[in-house]
Amino acid sequence: MLTKRRSFLKSIGLGGLGLSYVHTLDAHTPQVGTQTTDISVVRIKGKVQAEGKGLAGVAVTDGINITTTDAKGNYELLSNASAEFVYIATPRGYEFTNQNGVARFYQPVKAVNGAFQAIFTLTKLTQDDTRHNFIVWADPQMISKEDAELFLQQSVPDTRKLLDSYKQKNNGQMPPFHGVGCGDLVWDHFELFDDYQKGVTATGIPFFQVIGNHDMDLTARTDEHSAKTFKSTFGPTYYSFNRGEIHYVVLDDVFFIGTAKKYIGYLTERQLAWLEQDLALVKPGKTVVIFMHIPANTGDPRRNKAKEEPIGGVVANRKELYRLLQPYKAHIMSGHTHFNEKIVTGDNLVEHVHGTVCGAWWTGPVCFDGTPNGYGVYEVNGSTIEWYYKSVGHEKDHQMRLYPIGASKEKPDHVVVNVWNWDPAWKVEWLEDGKPMGPMTQETAFDPLSVELHEGTAKPAKHKWVEPQLTDHLFFAKPSVAASKIKVQVTDRFKNIYTQEMDVKHS
């Protein structure tokens, strides 16, 4: 009987919950006052179609198990009443179904007599999506209408201007483009989701959403209920989609521990089991892009000589994520930290920790590592991805900030440059009065502008707890006493060259 029971539980998506939970299924009379979960069988079926014809091979999921449509576009899932949504991984070559820009690739499950039907109708793209682009908005994190106005009057128009530039280069037609709100869309004030959605609509491109720690219901008793408002607004918290040759996955790595504003970076077994199924449909060697709010890893503990990793700052069980991504060329996109960082691991993995849309919580023009308020821009050609960081209010070639002698407290006789999107494939060199002087010296230090704006208990006035944070993307050089002009030349991993010059003023 036990073997049959395990087979049944697996068929309805509960096989991995363990025998301690299975035992409760045998209790014919629940205890008074307990909350029970309905796990009765629900048969979900339907069709994925376009232009009146069924689409074969489209992945369909209830968030527990994944199936694919047959040759006529039909599918069937044996699910259970705990499933909240049925949703698809939009295949390449098709538009992202959306409502005013917010991706709607799902349908809430509303079973009647143990059955539910969902039909998904897609529209074919008018352009080849082998080449496409996307942007990542990390942490709009609005706590007030004042913040929302800054978002709508600064960040959104800047994004719109950038998108228009791509449209102009594409003969007046917007190339395939999508966006991802990478969590902390608001700052615990759910009424501001409306303002976030206004911003999405204004961009004119479809956006997918990631749940952040400030997008959760803080009165929930467990993590399972903490995404109730987010789900009612944006749908599932983990899912996948395809565009061109890239497979994209959104994950929920914020685990609420039942106390307001307390959480850890963690991927649940249910998600990991789902992800294994999802990636099983992707050929090894393909490019996979993962979006989640909390970074899998950062250099922050190393920079601050911490004995332990902050449990809310990185993903505790990231090794399993890395294992699942090993067969692929992978990128992990995150936000959360309010600093910008790239972590490159071998040939297969790049982790992009994004500077934020709100900077240091809408207190001024920079994050607390000196990275400008902004967002990531990614250009895809086949399986290859190139990227840059777009600073709000600046042109796309604004990729560094050069400071004069005396700006850095740590090295007052040096010039310093902050190259916020730096990774080990970049070169940062300098010239003195036209003479090449070689590479600048990379050091961990504080950005001078962040120190000016954020250091001390009295500033910034809006959020006095903001302080400068150590960063690795600062580079130093000591001009000679006779120097009159220095020039910094930065070459990124894609061979783009950026320069900035400055007159030397000796004290």
Side-chain angles (χ1 to χ4, degrees):
M1 291 296 293
L2 184 57
T3 301
K4 289 183 178 179
R5 172 171 294 177
R6 283 177 174 163
S7 178
F8 171 72
L9 290 172
K10 185 176 181 181
S11 74
I12 62 173
L14 293 175
L17 293 184
L19 291 179
S20 62
Y21 190 82
V22 171
H23 178 72
T24 66
L25 302 181
D26 289 329
H28 297 293
T29 307
Q31 296 179 13
V32 176
T34 61
Q35 181 173 330
T36 59
T37 301
D38 183 359
I39 56 167
S40 58
V41 175
V42 173
R43 191 177 299 274
I44 302 174
K45 62 181 181 179
K47 188 172 186 176
V48 181
Q49 60 188 12
E51 300 176 342
K53 297 180 180 180
L55 297 177
V58 178
V60 185
T61 183
D62 58 355
I64 304 167
N65 295 310
I66 300 175
T67 190
T68 55
T69 55
D70 64 18
K72 295 183 179 180
N74 298 313
Y75 70 89
E76 185 170 325
L77 271 170
L78 194 61
S79 187
N80 70 79
S82 70
E84 298 172 90
F85 303 97
V86 57
Y87 46 105
I88 65 171
T90 304
R92 69 172 299 177
Y94 290 87
E95 294 182 6
F96 297 131
T97 303
N98 67 88
Q99 181 181 28
N100 296 323
V102 176
R104 304 294 188 197
F105 51 91
Y106 59 91
Q107 294 186 34
V109 174
K110 299 178 180 178
V112 178
N113 297 325
F116 181 72
Q117 184 177 46
I119 297 175
F120 297 90
T121 301
L122 301 179
T123 302
K124 199 168 183 61
L125 284 168
T126 58
Q127 303 175 70
D128 179 20
D129 60 2
T130 302
R131 282 180 175 268
H132 65 273
N133 312 293
F134 64 94
I135 64 172
V136 178
W137 276 352
D139 301 67
Q141 201 160 342
M142 299 167 278
I143 200 173
S144 64
K145 277 293 184 180
E146 179 186 15
D147 290 353
E149 286 301 309
L150 292 172
F151 169 67
L152 292 170
Q153 294 177 9
Q154 296 178 7
S155 311
V156 173
D158 187 273
T159 304
R160 182 66 257 176
K161 180 181 177 182
L162 176 86
L163 294 170
D164 286 343
S165 72
Y166 280 88
K167 183 177 179 180
Q168 291 168 12
K169 288 188 293 186
N170 195 45
N171 298 318
Q173 184 179 21
M174 179 66 74
F177 227 120
H178 64 278
V180 178
C182 212
D184 282 2
L185 311 179
V186 298
W187 192 349
D188 305 327
H189 284 255
F190 294 154
E191 70 274 11
L192 298 176
F193 277 148
D194 287 342
D195 294 278
Y196 170 79
Q197 291 183 87
K198 287 178 184 176
V200 164
T201 302
T203 67
I205 63 172
F207 260 77
F208 296 87
Q209 278 59 237
V210 179
I211 189 170
N213 51 289
H214 287 292
D215 303 318
M216 300 189 302
D217 294 277
L218 301 180
T219 57
R221 72 178 189 176
T222 62
D223 179 66
E224 287 79 2
H225 297 289
S226 64
K228 181 179 179 181
T229 301
F230 182 93
K231 289 177 179 178
S232 68
T233 309
F234 300 112
T237 59
Y238 60 94
Y239 51 92
S240 66
F241 57 94
N242 302 279
R243 176 141 282 184
E245 297 178 17
I246 311 296
H247 183 65
Y248 295 95
V249 181
V250 170
L251 295 176
D252 171 5
D253 66 348
V254 184
F255 191 92
F256 178 68
I257 62 173
T259 301
K261 301 189 180 182
K262 298 292 185 181
Y263 56 89
I264 61 175
Y266 182 77
L267 293 167
T268 63
E269 173 60 27
R270 179 160 168 165
Q271 273 189 94
L272 289 171
W274 174 88
L275 182 60
E276 282 192 282
Q277 297 175 72
D278 180 80
L279 293 178
L281 301 174
V282 182
K283 287 184 179 180
K286 288 282 192 177
T287 299
V288 175
V289 177
I290 304 286
F291 300 100
M292 52 196 197
H293 180 61
I294 297 175
N297 195 17
T298 77
D300 192 57
R302 170 184 50 79
R303 287 188 288 272
N304 290 283
K305 298 180 173 58
K307 293 182 179 179
E308 295 182 353
E309 294 180 340
I311 61 172
V314 295
V315 176
N317 58 340
R318 61 181 176 269
K319 287 184 179 179
E320 181 60 16
L321 177 62
Y322 293 161
R323 184 188 72 80
L324 294 175
L325 292 175
Q326 191 60 47
Y328 309 99
K329 292 170 61 178
H331 296 262
I332 299 176
M333 312 273 178
S334 62
H336 185 58
T337 64
H338 296 256
F339 57 70
N340 202 67
E341 184 171 25
K342 295 285 184 287
I343 299 175
V344 181
T345 305
D347 295 327
N348 110 293
L349 177 62
V350 181
E351 300 188 52
H352 307 256
V353 183
H354 291 84
T356 55
V357 171
C358 73
W361 298 269
W362 300 109
T363 61
V366 298
C367 304
F368 49 35
D369 68 336
T371 300
N373 302 2
Y375 48 95
V377 184
Y378 296 82
E379 300 175 337
V380 181
N381 183 7
S383 61
T384 301
I385 303 177
E386 296 188 4
W387 58 84
Y388 60 92
Y389 186 85
K390 176 63 177 67
S391 304
V392 171
H394 297 273
E395 298 301 319
K396 62 178 291 187
D397 62 356
H398 182 63
Q399 296 297 320
M400 62 176 147
R401 186 185 305 110
L402 179 60
Y403 296 99
I405 291 174
S408 172
K409 296 179 181 179
E410 292 95 341
K411 294 210 166 195
D413 53 355
H414 287 59
V415 294
V416 57
V417 62
N418 190 336
V419 187
W420 41 79
N421 218 30
W422 175 89
D423 69 52
W426 289 48
K427 292 192 298 183
V428 181
E429 302 164 300
W430 70 297
L431 297 85
E432 180 178 287
D433 294 329
K435 178 183 177 182
M437 303 298 289
M440 297 181 74
T441 302
Q442 181 187 14
E443 298 200 23
T444 300
F446 295 101
D447 174 78
L449 180 57
S450 181
V451 170
E452 178 185 340
L453 296 175
H454 304 143
E455 188 175 62
T457 57
K459 55 184 179 180
K462 188 172 182 177
H463 299 303
K464 295 181 179 180
W465 41 266
V466 175
E467 288 292 330
Q469 296 289 313
L470 291 169
T471 182
D472 296 328
H473 45 68
L474 292 180
F475 297 81
F476 292 80
K478 184 178 180 180
S480 69
V481 293
S484 61
K485 185 181 290 290
I486 65 125
K487 177 181 179 179
V488 173
Q489 178 172 296
V490 175
T491 307
D492 70 15
R493 63 165 45 235
F494 309 113
K495 310 306 180 187
N496 299 304
I497 297 175
Y498 310 99
T499 62
Q500 191 169 342
E501 296 184 6
M502 177 178 287
D503 292 334
V504 178
K505 296 181 180 179
H506 298 278
S507 58

